[in-house]
Amino acid sequence: MDSHARKSKSWLTALYLLLGFQLGLNQEVTVMLARVSAEVTLKCEANAEIKNLKWEKENSIILQWQKGVTFVFKGQSEMARSRSHLNMQQFNRGDCSMRIVQLEMSDAGLYTSTANIKEILRVQLVLFNMTSADSKALLVSDNLELLLVSNPATIPQDVSVTCRNPKDKERRAWRINRGQSLTQTLQVEDLQLEDSGDWKCKISTGKASLELSLEVTVAGFHSHDSGPTMLFSRINDTVLLSFVFNFNIRDPPTGFQPEVTSGGVYWSDDPAELGQQKTTLSVSQDGVCWSHECGQSSPGVRGSDLSFRLPRVQFDNAAWYTLVVRFAHKALKKKFHLTVLRVAASSKGPVAPESQVTLICEVSNHSSETVLRWTQVNGSLADTQEKKGAGRFRITLQMFPERFGLWQCSLYDGQKLLQTADFELVEKRNSAMFDWWVWLAGGSLALALLLVIVCAVVCVARSRRLRRRTRRMAWLKQQRTCQCNDRLNKPLNP
């Protein structure tokens, strides 16, 4: 071959190589997102039976196979030797996909597959890892810190992250610009009980997306009220200050269960003040309990229930109550406002007809919207009177038979009934009638007693006469018997 032919062939080879290189540069790059520790399949499909195949990562051979060879050549990296796989049974169908298991952050990068000496696919593999930066147990109102890690060099464009809680409610969204460090701390503020469970965080970049799941445990107490809990009671009722947790607070801390350090119940007339301590929380290796209840085993009390009971409430028990449970890094508090309703009358005991009685209804706390209402419940005369915006309401009644019976005082806030208290008006009996019945009963009793005595005397007298008659008859009989015997035993005269 002359030099001219050799030169033409060289130029032709160079042109082919240049065209192949340009084709490779113009080949569309597919972006795939995956999570560290998971596995991924880099898809590859040829139009004909595969005779040779090569997978590379940034010009470093991962896997290579030639038809007629019974083994697959593997590259020098740890991923190539032990974590990359081919399904050779699919080669006759043109499937040249590669599977990588137990992904590591260093596996991210640009992968190229060449089948039958033709570049088939270019894949930009982007890896993410998301964990919680918190090692302590999370409590209600804590902030959740998520640590998102990736390799910035493998990110082709901007990245968006959206996280949803177990209720499928979007809790936070972030945008990370291209070139920005992708070791990011993402914060979700003010956690609630509904945030406890399996979170879904979606990572998107261009046409590719990845959903990561993360288990989040939030400990706290069940409460549907954003503010203080309003409680209403009558005199001598038992009031429950509800404090129920979503974990077994009475057991020693284990796993994600937070550690309790102390606690107490406080009461005050001012909602802004903690006030005076009513009882404390006893914390020991056996668990936690209110000091006055320790050692009292109640089968009805759940391990998550730390509620406090106020028995036999009196009017001066109306106040602001605060339940506090302190944990290692913060305290959980819940406020209650107790309002007490009481009723009374100007006279005690039964009421005489035609007299005047004043019924008194009093509430420990009121506003301009609250209404006190007296209503006759079971009397024959319907009667209702009310007063708005007052702490005490009196009504005076002229008593006659129709007014006796049960009266009820009700506390309303607008149209909402808050509490009721009952008072019964009992009619006083007439004393003259009572005395007549007493004399009648006494006379009847004396007459009955007299009849009993007379009957007894008559019976005794008759009994005595009967005994005397019996003895006399017996004596006479004896005398006759003796005389007969004497006649029989006397000898006859010769």
Side-chain angles (χ1 to χ4, degrees), residues 157-171:
Q157 50 196 314
D158 294 349
V159 175
S160 64
V161 182
T162 304
C163 287
R164 294 180 173 273
N165 69 5
K167 300 293 185 182
D168 200 32
K169 176 182 178 181
E170 182 178 315
R171 291 291 275 115

Side-chain angles (χ1 to χ4, degrees), residues 228-275:
T229 300
M230 310 304 293
L231 302 174
F232 301 90
S233 175
R234 295 167 294 208
I235 299 296
N236 294 328
D237 280 355
T238 296
V239 174
L240 180 69
L241 309 183
S242 178
F243 214 45
V244 181
F245 290 81
N246 69 333
F247 64 97
N248 195 334
I249 191 171
R250 294 182 181 271
D251 284 349
T254 56
F256 285 101
Q257 181 173 321
E259 179 182 1
V260 180
T261 59
S262 62
V265 178
Y266 303 82
W267 66 278
S268 172
D269 293 331
D270 188 348
E273 296 180 357
L274 195 59

Side-chain angles (χ1 to χ4, degrees), residues 303-488:
S304 59
D305 193 345
L306 209 61
S307 300
F308 184 80
R309 286 169 174 78
L310 292 171
R312 297 188 61 80
V313 168
Q314 299 302 309
F315 199 73
D316 55 2
N317 293 140
W320 287 89
Y321 290 84
T322 306
L323 269 68
V324 181
V325 177
R326 299 180 182 89
F327 297 88
H329 69 287
K330 68 181 299 183
L332 291 182
K333 299 180 181 180
K334 188 175 179 182
K335 278 191 174 293
F336 302 84
H337 187 204
L338 176 60
T339 298
V340 181
L341 185 68
R342 68 177 175 184
V343 293
S346 57
S347 60
K348 296 182 179 180
V351 180
E354 306 302 327
S355 63
Q356 284 190 346
V357 176
T358 300
L359 295 180
I360 306 167
C361 183
E362 189 173 9
V363 62
S364 62
N365 181 67
H366 69 281
S367 67
S368 59
E369 297 299 320
T370 55
V371 175
L372 287 174
R373 180 181 300 166
W374 272 111
T375 304
Q376 188 175 11
V377 177
N378 60 356
S380 59
L381 180 65
D383 196 352
T384 299
Q385 301 181 43
E386 66 179 41
K387 188 172 184 181
K388 186 176 181 180
R392 178 179 291 185
F393 180 34
R394 299 170 177 261
I395 61 171
T396 300
L397 304 174
Q398 184 73 33
M399 298 309 300
F400 46 88
E402 290 81 1
R403 288 196 183 276
F404 288 102
L406 187 65
W407 288 75
Q408 186 176 81
C409 180
S410 306
L411 175 64
Y412 284 86
D413 184 2
Q415 298 298 320
K416 183 180 180 182
L417 176 62
L418 304 179
Q419 186 58 274
T420 62
D422 297 339
F423 191 91
E424 187 170 9
L425 289 173
V426 180
E427 183 179 1
K428 186 178 181 180
R429 294 182 178 182
N430 191 313
S431 59
M433 181 67 69
F434 177 76
D435 293 342
W436 183 83
W437 277 103
V438 169
W439 281 108
L440 179 61
S444 300
L445 182 62
L447 181 60
L449 182 61
L450 180 61
L451 289 175
V452 170
I453 294 173
V454 170
C455 291
V457 170
V458 171
C459 290
V460 170
R462 290 187 63 184
S463 177
R464 287 179 178 176
R465 286 198 301 271
L466 183 61
R467 286 198 299 269
R468 286 198 299 269
R469 182 178 179 182
T470 303
R471 287 196 299 269
R472 184 176 179 183
M473 292 298 293
W475 181 81
L476 291 174
K477 184 179 181 180
Q478 184 179 4
Q479 290 297 322
R480 290 174 182 171
T481 303
C482 291
Q483 290 177 2
C484 291
N485 290 336
D486 290 339
R487 289 193 187 105
L488 292 173

